[in-house]
Amino acid sequence: MEIIVQVAGEQHLEYAQEICRQIEESAKARGTGIAKRDPEYIKQKIREGKAIIALTDTGVFAGFCYIETWSHGNYVANSGLIVNPEFRQHGLAKKIKEQAFNLSREKFPDAKIFGLTTSLPVMKINSDLGYKPVTFSELTNDESFWKGCQSCVNYDILTRTNRKHCLCTGMLYDPKWEEDKKKTIEPEAKKTFKLKEKIYERWLRFKAFVLLKDKDKNNGKNNHTNATKPEPQTINA
């Protein structure tokens, strides 16, 4: 069986509903992430030539990703990455991300490419493509992008920290870095993600522990504050 990864076209519009269903189910299984996409929005991205789709040679849906632009095209995000559970563990996510990355560079060569993720494998793929972990302040300040986080179960963490922290890690690719590499050779840049993987993994666990702990504390305070004062009781002796 062969899996074909390609830029999606009009002939792939019929897969929009299935793509949305799998994105939602994947988010539920992870317990985090943006849970829903609108099929019409997916169709729009396909029509604009801003989507990558993976299909078997018999037409079975295998994976998908699309690109979005923010801040007047100065930032690009590769969003909605999904791989059909039947085709996972075969490196398909990396192939889809690579094509989405190349499509982004082709259409918007001067734009910074970024993403938010809680997935260590996705962080590895991004790192291999040249992304670096960054603070949220280095990402787009386009309010439309951040409103898209509202359907995530952890949105309250993002708002509570004034959009400085969340369980997601921000990663960024700046095309200017390629120019800098030509000017100077940095030995540190040659280190593979494998050497950093344990550090990233520990950081993700620590961040989740701290942020979720604060979340539980706030929930406890709210429950205490909202507790009704018991009515005085009269006991007849």
Side-chain angles (χ1 to χ4, degrees):
M1 178 183 61
E2 182 183 3
I3 297 180
I4 303 168
V5 182
Q6 60 188 308
V7 177
E10 291 278 341
Q11 70 273 27
H12 301 122
L13 294 175
E14 63 183 283
Y15 294 95
Q17 192 69 46
E18 175 64 12
I19 291 167
C20 292
R21 184 187 68 80
Q22 292 211 24
I23 289 175
E24 183 174 0
E25 289 187 358
S26 178
K28 287 180 180 178
R30 294 194 312 271
T32 186
I34 311 305
K36 294 184 178 181
R37 295 295 197 282
D38 185 345
E40 289 305 314
Y41 185 70
I42 296 298
K43 290 180 180 179
Q44 176 187 336
K45 290 300 173 184
I46 292 176
R47 292 190 180 100
E48 292 173 349
K50 296 179 180 178
I52 300 295
I53 194 168
L55 303 170
T56 68
D57 49 10
T58 57
V60 177
F61 172 75
F64 183 79
C65 185
Y66 64 88
I67 65 177
E68 295 178 295
T69 57
W70 309 98
S71 302
H72 307 290
N74 291 318
Y75 286 85
V76 173
N78 296 159
S79 302
L81 175 65
I82 185 67
V83 174
N84 187 328
E86 296 181 24
F87 303 103
R88 290 176 185 172
Q89 308 301 322
H90 296 290
L92 183 56
K94 183 175 183 179
K95 293 178 181 178
I96 294 172
K97 281 283 289 183
E98 284 176 344
Q99 288 227 22
F101 179 82
N102 292 335
L103 183 62
S104 300
R105 297 284 290 119
E106 178 185 330
K107 285 184 170 290
F108 307 96
D110 299 321
K112 296 178 181 179
I113 307 174
F114 74 99
L116 292 173
T117 183
T118 57
S119 168
L120 192 62
V122 172
M123 288 180 68
K124 182 184 185 308
I125 294 170
N126 286 347
S127 182
D128 290 343
L129 290 171
Y131 289 69
K132 297 178 182 179
V134 296
T135 61
F136 287 0
S137 63
E138 296 179 67
L139 307 180
T140 179
N141 59 6
D142 194 319
E143 291 299 325
S144 298
F145 170 78
W146 295 102
K147 284 181 180 178
C149 293
Q150 291 179 354
S151 63
C152 178
V153 296
N154 295 309
Y155 183 65
D156 66 304
I157 297 177
L158 188 66
T159 55
R160 173 162 47 82
T161 60
N162 294 319
R163 218 159 67 189
K164 293 180 180 179
H165 304 288
C166 198
L167 295 191
C168 282
T169 294
M171 300 193 76
L172 181 75
Y173 169 86
D174 189 335
K176 291 182 179 179
W177 294 340
E178 294 297 327
E179 300 175 8
D180 294 338
K181 283 182 180 179
K182 295 176 182 178
K183 297 176 183 177
T184 178
I185 300 176
E186 300 179 14
E188 287 295 315
K190 295 183 178 181
K191 290 184 178 180
T192 64
F193 184 91
K194 192 68 179 176
L195 297 176
K196 305 175 185 176
E197 189 168 357
K198 289 186 178 179
I199 298 175
Y200 281 128
E201 191 171 7
R202 289 172 185 167
W203 165 242
L204 290 175
R205 287 203 303 266
F206 176 74
K207 183 165 63 169
F209 171 77
V210 172
L211 295 177
L212 291 178
K213 184 178 180 181
D214 289 343
K215 180 179 179 181
D216 291 339
K217 282 183 179 179
N218 283 341
N219 288 339
K221 288 179 181 179
N222 291 335
N223 290 337
H224 179 73
T225 303
N226 295 330
T228 57
K229 185 177 180 180
E231 294 292 332
Q233 295 181 351
T234 302
I235 301 176
N236 295 320

